[in-house]
Amino acid sequence: MPTIPENAVLIPIDMQRAFDATPWPRRWNDRLDENGLALVTAWRAAGRPIIHVRHDSVEPGSTLRPEAPGNALRPGFEPKAGEPLVTKSVNAAFIGTDLDLRLRRLGTDTVVLFGISTDMCVSTSVRVGSNLGYRVILVEDACDCFDLPDGKGGSVPAEEIHRAHVATLRHEFAAVWRTGEVLASL
């Protein structure tokens, strides 16, 4: 099994409280928090860098606006001393932020990403990170997404959306690992 380089940076994306309430549709991964917290805990224990990403929406009425209670990070995902928080208002963690600069200053070429949602902010961040030249590792079982309308009166189940996005990311943009594989590699 390949290993994760010592200088790899863990990037939890949008692990925010708003996603547990309306108007957000059904999510599927009931192990999201468990797997994500296992990654964060192990990463901290190994003394490796973490950069947290939070979505600060600029859309009126959004549950992710900075003043909304749902903007807060989920319990256990709050940054600890020395762990920066990067805020964004678009889908990619690299656009309009200093994430790339922070990573370059750390001297890393590898990022390990997980979070909400697989098909939106996680996928977009994986793609941009890969295009910027980073080796990207997506932790698929520490991601989650939502059922979405199909435009024809029905919906596409979150599990199918997740599966399709992981497949496209694996094909071109990222290595895809599971939480247990990451933990075993630390």
Side-chain angles (χ1 to χ4, degrees):
M1 177 166 106
T3 60
I4 295 176
E6 289 286 326
N7 69 345
V9 176
L10 183 67
I11 304 177
I13 298 175
D14 300 350
M15 293 299 292
Q16 291 168 262
R17 295 175 184 221
F19 296 122
D20 292 333
T22 55
W24 299 96
R26 180 191 76 91
R27 290 194 344 255
W28 69 275
N29 187 357
D30 61 356
R31 298 196 61 199
L32 168 72
D33 288 336
E34 176 186 342
N35 291 338
L37 288 172
L39 292 167
V40 169
T41 300
W43 215 267
R44 286 174 175 153
R48 294 182 177 212
I50 301 174
I51 299 176
H52 302 265
V53 174
R54 184 184 70 211
H55 192 94
D56 286 355
S57 179
V58 295
E59 298 297 320
S62 172
T63 58
L64 296 170
R65 287 186 65 83
E67 68 275 7
N71 180 268
L73 293 172
R74 303 161 81 77
F77 290 99
E78 304 90 349
K80 296 216 175 192
E83 296 175 358
L85 173 66
V86 171
T87 61
K88 63 181 180 57
S89 61
V90 297
N91 298 97
F94 292 93
I95 304 297
T97 72
D98 65 351
L99 179 58
D100 183 47
L101 178 62
R102 289 176 181 272
L103 293 169
R104 302 225 184 259
R105 285 182 176 161
L106 288 170
T108 189
D109 63 352
T110 304
V111 292
V112 179
L113 303 172
F114 73 93
I116 305 172
S117 81
T118 311
D119 57 321
M120 300 290 180
C121 296
V122 174
S123 177
T124 308
S125 297
V126 166
R127 292 167 190 266
V128 174
S130 176
N131 287 333
L132 288 171
Y134 293 100
R135 174 182 176 217
V136 180
I137 298 171
L138 172 67
V139 188
E140 69 171 322
D141 63 344
C143 293
D144 205 354
C145 61
F146 305 92
D147 291 347
L148 292 177
D150 66 3
K152 300 175 184 176
S155 68
V156 180
E159 297 87 343
E160 289 180 30
I161 293 169
H162 177 81
R163 184 171 162 256
H165 276 268
V166 169
T168 60
L169 295 173
R170 176 185 287 120
H171 183 72
E172 180 103 9
F173 299 98
V176 176
W177 293 32
R178 298 186 59 78
T179 299
E181 294 169 325
V182 174
L183 297 178
S185 178
L186 290 178

